[in-house]
Amino acid sequence: MSRTQQDATAGPAEEPAEGPAGEPVGGRPIRVLIADDQPLVRRGLALILGPDPAFEVVGEAGDGAQAVDLAHRLQPDVVVMDIRMPVLDGVAATGRLACELPGCRVLALSTFDMDEYVVAALRAGAYGFLPKDISPEELVAAVRVVHTGEAAVAPRLLTRLISTYVRAPQRPRPPAARWGELTPRELEVWRLMASGLDNAAIARSMDISVSTVKNHITSVFGKLGVRDRAQAVIAAYETGLVEAGGRG
């Protein structure tokens, strides 16, 4: 048997409802594919996630091309994707999955705490990015978060990466008309979101309900043409709504 473990009989399953912590309800665990060129790392990640009944590790891939191929065959909910891999790197593999299997959410991992990798992964379509020195508990929590469609980026990376790379002069900025369509309330929600506040904190800051915050965020995503929180934060820095090191 090759290093790449395959659950060849597994096929697409119906999208489950999710509980408040991102746990599926109705009995089906979150299907996870692990992609890393180091067998020891793959095994370690599988040993973290596998024993938890909320997860099912359906396969392992040793490079990005294998990850894309297995994702098509196994239909995982989440791919835990190393960034630096042979044949096809994690960023390129993430881009392909975002286009070809939009329901499959990528959580990118990297040993290298380098900001350009984070930005590249998020731009390619990853739902989250974590360094490999995170704790097992942080990994479990991040897989749950990206499964719900929310962004999971290590706090220590977010402001630094945007400050260093997204605001670089050579990067094109999105049309101002996009965010000019936002209402004052939506603009404030966007600013607070980009400053790192979660929905509950935004609701407290603006003295509105969490459900109203969620409605505003949905509208912000639609008007900006972004998919999730991470991309909305990047857009906030690109447009100058929020300045690096400040709250806008």
Side-chain angles (χ1 to χ4, degrees):
M1 181 177 292
S2 68
R3 290 178 176 176
T4 301
Q5 297 183 354
Q6 300 179 19
D7 179 5
T9 61
E14 292 182 0
E15 187 71 17
E18 291 164 353
E23 295 188 34
V25 296
R28 187 169 83 77
I30 300 170
R31 295 167 58 81
V32 181
L33 172 66
I34 296 170
D36 195 291
D37 63 333
Q38 299 182 39
L40 187 61
V41 173
R42 294 200 304 269
R43 182 65 7 221
L45 294 172
L47 288 173
I48 291 171
L49 297 171
D52 191 325
F55 304 105
E56 179 187 2
V57 178
V58 297
E60 298 178 19
D63 60 58
Q66 288 180 341
V68 173
D69 178 62
L70 283 179
H72 277 279
R73 284 192 272 158
L74 305 179
Q75 299 290 309
D77 301 307
V78 176
V79 178
V80 178
M81 181 87 73
D82 185 28
I83 289 300
R84 290 174 63 99
M85 290 189 292
V87 184
L88 186 70
D89 67 33
V91 172
T94 295
R96 284 190 54 184
L97 290 177
C99 292
E100 299 168 14
L101 293 173
C104 176
R105 291 154 183 168
V106 174
L107 173 62
L109 299 180
S110 180
T111 303
F112 300 91
D113 195 2
M114 297 179 65
D115 300 336
E116 65 265 36
Y117 292 156
V118 188
V119 173
L122 296 176
R123 288 186 183 280
Y127 275 76
F129 191 107
L130 297 175
K132 285 185 178 177
D133 62 359
I134 57 169
S135 68
E137 293 77 16
E138 289 172 315
L139 174 66
V140 167
V143 173
R144 294 182 192 274
V145 167
V146 299
H147 180 243
T148 68
E150 292 289 340
V153 179
R156 79 173 192 246
L157 299 179
L158 194 56
T159 299
R160 195 187 77 217
L161 73 90
I162 292 170
S163 170
T164 305
Y165 290 94
V166 177
R167 291 283 288 160
Q170 70 271 21
R171 294 189 178 274
R173 296 186 176 188
R178 281 187 180 180
W179 64 287
E181 298 172 0
L182 299 178
T183 68
R185 276 284 176 105
E186 290 167 351
L187 197 63
E188 180 64 4
V189 167
W190 183 26
R191 185 184 69 81
L192 294 173
M193 181 177 17
S195 299
L197 274 62
D198 61 19
N199 291 356
I202 294 173
R204 289 192 298 270
S205 177
M206 298 182 65
D207 195 24
I208 57 179
S209 69
V210 172
S211 62
T212 300
V213 171
K214 290 180 179 178
N215 290 338
H216 284 320
I217 289 175
T218 298
S219 182
V220 168
F221 287 177
K223 291 180 180 180
L224 294 178
V226 300
R227 186 198 60 207
D228 58 29
R229 251 181 156 81
Q231 293 185 353
V233 170
I234 287 175
Y237 280 83
E238 286 181 324
T239 58
L241 178 72
V242 176
E243 295 292 339
R247 295 180 65 90

